[in-house]
Amino acid sequence: MTHNLLKVLFVEDSEDDALLLLEALHTEYPNIFHDRVDSARTLGEALAREKWDVIICDHNLPDLDATSALRICQERCEDIPFIIVSGLISEELAASVMMNGASDTISKARIARLVPAIRRELHNKSAIHQLSDAREKINRIAYRDQLTGLPNREFLAMQVNALLNGAAPPPNLVVLAINISRFLQIQGALGIEAANITLQMIAERIQNCIGDSGLTARLGGDRFAVMLPGNLNNGAIIEKIRAIKQNSVQPLMISGHELFLNCNIGISVYPRDGRDFHELFVNAETAMRTARTEKRCNYLFFDSSMNSVDKEHLMLEHGLHRAIQEEEFLLHYQPQFDLRSGKLVGVEALLRWNSPAGLIPPAKFIPLLEETRLILPVGEWVMRKACEQNKAWQDAGLLPVPVAVNLSAIQFQQTDLIPMVRRILNETGLPARFLELEITENIAMHNEELIIATLTELRAIGVNLAIDDFGTGYSSLSYLNRFPVQKLKIDRAFVKDITDVKQECSIAKAIISLAHNLNLGIIAEGVETDIQASVLRESGCEEVQGFLYSPPMSPEKVEIFLANGAFDAENFGALIA
Ligand code: C2E
Ligand code: MG
Ligand code: MG
């Protein structure tokens, strides 16, 4: 027995019959709100006025028959139980109204069936509601990305495939694969929470650009995808992409830090680049990965030749895991000289991968080491190996000079960097002043306070610090006098720019005078010509490193320089032959 209010609408021409039915319901449902109608018009009005729990309909009314009443109810609000109670109803008619969606037909002679029928219908209705609530919840979880609220990969795939397999597939459809440049570093520097906020803000920015013209989804991590249906030509696609890029490069304020982000975008177009979501998306991602290595634009249309590049990428990644186990890495060293005296002043350790397929240059595998975070164990190996080697050279009585080791941003953010440096110096016995760490300018972009603290601790240990590839980063120069570094390395792009002795204002010159003003040491890398060397010398550059003097070499060959202690132009060829 239930005391909940039951709202019953009688479709019945006789007031007495309605009262009789109320009686029949009373024991089970003492709280009944009811109304009685007897025409199509009054039925329509009653449905508009109230949310009924059950409709009990007589079969033969002067102005309305049960089948029409049922249709009216279904048009208005489809899921109210509709029970026909009638004196005379043929088996055929009962079957026909049930087929049309009536919940039950009950003969007045067997009115005791009414209550169980209502109970059953109400129970079914609530079960159906629960089911559809659950289904909606499942849809929300199954098809939404929880962090950004955007649709997820499954939903996007479903929509794209539904469009392409539909009755009128669009003549053309674009899939964009988007990721954020250097997202791993940002996550490493700022932590998961700030990284999540970053993702939410980027999601919003992409979504703002796309709006209703397409569908934006997050596929996990920093990977997003967009579907643009409709007949877009390349110009219109590029316009959209420019909008996304422009929006996403606007600085973001995250936990008090100003972040400059960039994104890489790969584009694939139906039907040329794929016939379903899977093919289109895989190809868009391939284009995105290729775009990531493009310095200039960061977006590319898919082109089938990219697949071979992608395969190479996979092979490399596989190979790197093996390289660590099989000890296929080695270090080469490039000497650094004083530009005036020609004296050897240091060596830079540069990682080489001696893979079964030959020697692979760092530009190809270092980004992959960073992506997979394998740079952490490999970077530690590099530092240990370089320190061991330098100590061995000094123990052998060769000229003691610092060895420079490159630090990736990811290593710089690892929490145990300081203990690791201490440990390596201790274990190898190399005095700290003979280790120099090269960090790139982009490290300086995030979390300045933390970076200053780390650099200060490193200085306290006694190691030297240099900023590598100086001038190519995005950050402002204001950090320079706050960072306890000793040296700037002019990026070789600016050295390459020096083509003429009379060239008045090169960027290299500007960097040299900046370093002098800040009391920092300065070294130019990538020096290849005599003209470059003499312009650098005249501009006051102190040290050089480059093919003009020596390429990076095996430890055995570097020993000849260390024994000699200086650059010897005449014997140069003989020394490195
Ligand atoms: P980098 O630290 O700026 O190293 C200098 C690069 O310039 C080296 O390239 C070197 O071979 C090249 N180079 C030197 N002199 C000349 C020249 O006169 N002309 C030209 N065109 N190039 C010259 P490499 O060895 O291919 O290394 C490339 C980059 O890979 C390095 O740039 C560094 O950023 C990274 N790298 C190398 N070893 C390591 C490492 O152990 N750890 C990390 N994190 N990065 C490394
Ligand atoms: Mg370097
Ligand atoms: Mg460099």
Side-chain angles (χ1 to χ4, degrees):
M1 182 148 119
T2 165
H3 295 286
N4 286 345
L5 179 68
L6 184 73
K7 294 183 187 170
V8 184
L9 179 65
F10 294 105
V11 184
E12 172 68 74
D13 58 329
S14 148
E15 176 77 39
D16 289 348
D17 283 0
L19 286 175
L20 275 175
L21 290 170
L22 268 178
E23 281 267 332
L25 296 177
H26 187 76
T27 333
E28 179 77 10
Y29 301 104
N31 284 328
I32 291 186
F33 170 80
H34 75 278
D35 201 350
R36 183 180 65 82
V37 295
D38 56 7
S39 68
R41 183 181 57 80
T42 49
L43 172 60
E45 285 167 3
L47 289 172
R49 197 168 52 236
E50 198 60 65
K51 227 171 155 315
W52 301 101
D53 292 318
V54 61
I55 294 168
I56 299 179
C57 182
D58 188 8
H59 177 240
N60 262 331
L61 297 108
D63 299 328
L64 186 65
D65 66 280
T67 312
S68 313
L70 176 60
R71 201 173 329 112
I72 293 170
C73 292
Q74 284 169 336
E75 277 163 13
R76 300 276 177 143
C77 29
E78 55 216 32
D79 61 345
I80 305 178
F82 188 97
I83 298 173
I84 297 173
V85 177
S86 175
L88 333 147
I89 187 161
S90 70
E91 291 284 317
E92 289 84 6
L93 191 64
S96 139
V97 287
M98 294 289 282
M99 288 274 282
N100 284 329
S103 312
D104 209 342
T105 54
I106 294 171
S107 138
K108 280 186 180 158
R110 302 184 59 202
I111 202 68
R113 275 191 57 225
L114 182 58
V115 165
I118 293 178
R119 207 189 294 136
R120 182 195 67 224
E121 287 309 313
L122 293 181
H123 180 267
N124 283 352
K125 195 177 148 189
S126 102
I128 287 167
H129 267 206
Q130 272 173 19
L131 195 68
S132 76
D133 277 0
R135 207 170 277 150
E136 200 191 312
K137 207 173 199 172
I138 289 168
N139 281 353
R140 259 202 323 269
I141 294 173
Y143 294 129
R144 289 264 156 204
D145 167 51
Q146 301 298 299
L147 180 69
T148 60
L150 287 178
N152 64 10
R153 182 198 180 102
E154 281 67 34
F155 188 78
L156 182 67
M158 215 166 61
Q159 297 298 312
V160 171
N161 289 336
L163 260 180
L164 297 184
N165 298 327
N172 143 337
L173 178 144
V174 177
V175 171
L176 307 179
I178 305 176
N179 87 342
I180 303 171
S181 304
R182 295 173 296 103
F183 183 73
L184 277 181
Q185 279 103 308
I186 293 168
Q187 185 165 310
L190 300 185
I192 296 278
E193 222 163 282
N196 281 347
I197 299 174
T198 309
L199 287 171
Q200 287 167 335
M201 295 180 81
I202 286 290
E204 200 180 311
R205 288 180 174 190
I206 299 176
Q207 170 69 12
N208 284 345
C209 294
I210 301 303
D212 291 339
S213 68
L215 188 66
T216 309
R218 174 171 174 244
L219 313 185
D222 62 329
R223 290 156 72 229
F224 294 88
V226 168
M227 173 219 0
L228 299 168
N231 210 354
L232 296 180
N233 61 24
N234 283 2
I237 299 172
I238 289 175
E239 211 171 285
K240 271 266 181 271
I241 284 170
R242 292 229 168 100
I244 296 176
K245 287 185 68 67
Q246 227 157 44
N247 243 315
S248 46
V249 297
Q250 299 304 317
L252 276 179
M253 278 305 287
I254 305 272
S255 346
H257 301 286
E258 199 170 34
L259 271 189
F260 296 87
L261 296 178
N262 202 353
C263 57
N264 308 298
I265 304 179
I267 309 150
S268 67
V269 183
Y270 167 86
R272 188 187 64 205
D273 303 328
R275 283 153 306 163
D276 59 15
F277 174 76
H278 179 74
E279 283 183 16
L280 287 165
F281 181 69
V282 164
N283 288 338
E285 279 229 306
T286 300
M288 178 205 53
R289 274 195 293 274
T290 315
R292 198 161 52 190
T293 59
E294 287 270 312
K295 281 243 161 66
R296 265 163 307 153
C297 62
N298 303 111
Y299 65 84
L300 282 177
F301 281 87
F302 173 73
D303 157 354
S304 55
S305 68
M306 287 172 181
N307 272 330
S308 54
V309 176
D310 218 41
K311 251 188 219 127
E312 190 188 8
H313 184 96
L314 266 181
M315 301 265 290
L316 270 181
E317 187 170 334
H318 181 74
L320 278 174
H321 285 273
R322 197 204 45 222
I324 295 174
Q325 284 154 15
E326 305 285 317
E327 298 176 14
E328 290 170 1
F329 289 116
L330 54 122
L331 289 184
H332 275 183
Y333 297 86
Q334 186 174 32
Q336 303 169 328
F337 298 96
D338 182 288
L339 191 48
R340 290 179 193 282
S341 62
K343 267 175 72 175
L344 184 73
V345 290
V347 292
E348 177 176 7
L350 292 158
L351 186 57
R352 297 290 177 262
W353 176 14
N354 194 5
S355 89
L359 209 63
I360 298 179
K364 273 214 158 146
F365 68 86
I366 300 254
L368 211 55
L369 281 178
E370 290 181 331
E371 221 170 275
T372 52
R373 296 184 79 80
L374 286 172
I375 193 69
L376 292 177
V378 174
E380 179 167 353
W381 177 86
V382 170
M383 195 182 293
R384 183 179 303 275
K385 189 80 186 167
C387 289
E388 257 169 29
Q389 180 67 76
N390 200 12
K391 175 74 168 118
W393 281 330
Q394 296 188 9
D395 287 350
L398 297 169
L399 183 72
V401 291
V403 64
V405 168
N406 292 283
L407 266 197
S408 138
I410 291 186
Q411 282 174 282
F412 197 78
Q413 289 143 10
Q414 85 192 98
T415 45
D416 73 332
L417 176 68
I418 307 287
M420 183 185 97
V421 173
R422 277 214 187 88
R423 201 166 57 235
I424 289 177
L425 289 172
N426 264 337
E427 287 168 13
T428 59
L430 183 74
R433 65 178 188 284
F434 290 115
L435 175 63
E436 181 169 287
L437 298 180
E438 293 189 2
I439 59 169
T440 60
E441 214 185 335
N442 290 334
I443 291 181
M445 277 176 60
H446 317 297
N447 218 342
E448 224 170 87
E449 298 310 317
L450 194 78
I451 287 154
I452 293 174
T454 309
L455 292 174
T456 310
E457 276 195 73
L458 286 169
R459 268 311 284 157
I461 296 174
V463 301
N464 298 306
L465 301 170
I467 296 191
D468 201 358
D469 305 338
F470 186 77
T472 56
Y474 308 97
S475 52
S476 67
L477 295 178
S478 63
Y479 68 86
L480 263 186
N481 47 14
R482 302 185 60 209
F483 282 6
V485 297
Q486 288 79 57
K487 201 193 265 186
L488 301 185
K489 292 190 85 169
I490 307 177
D491 189 75
R492 67 168 179 272
F494 306 123
V495 175
K496 212 171 158 198
D497 264 359
I498 307 174
T499 50
D500 189 344
V501 198
K502 286 187 223 83
Q503 210 172 339
E504 268 310 304
C505 44
S506 64
I507 296 177
K509 277 187 184 175
I511 295 176
I512 293 166
S513 74
L514 174 81
H516 286 159
N517 284 337
L518 291 169
N519 258 333
L520 295 173
I522 183 100
I523 179 165
E525 63 181 343
V527 182
E528 293 182 351
T529 67
D530 286 322
I531 292 178
Q532 288 164 350
S534 69
V535 170
L536 287 165
R537 191 180 299 116
E538 272 157 37
S539 314
C541 181
E542 290 135 25
E543 298 176 356
V544 280
Q545 174 181 346
F547 294 168
L548 178 63
Y549 306 95
S550 161
M553 293 175 299
S554 67
E556 298 74 37
K557 286 186 176 160
V558 180
E559 278 166 24
I560 307 175
F561 279 87
L562 286 165
N564 217 29
F567 172 62
D568 178 345
E570 268 168 35
N571 293 325
F572 178 57
L575 280 174
I576 60 158

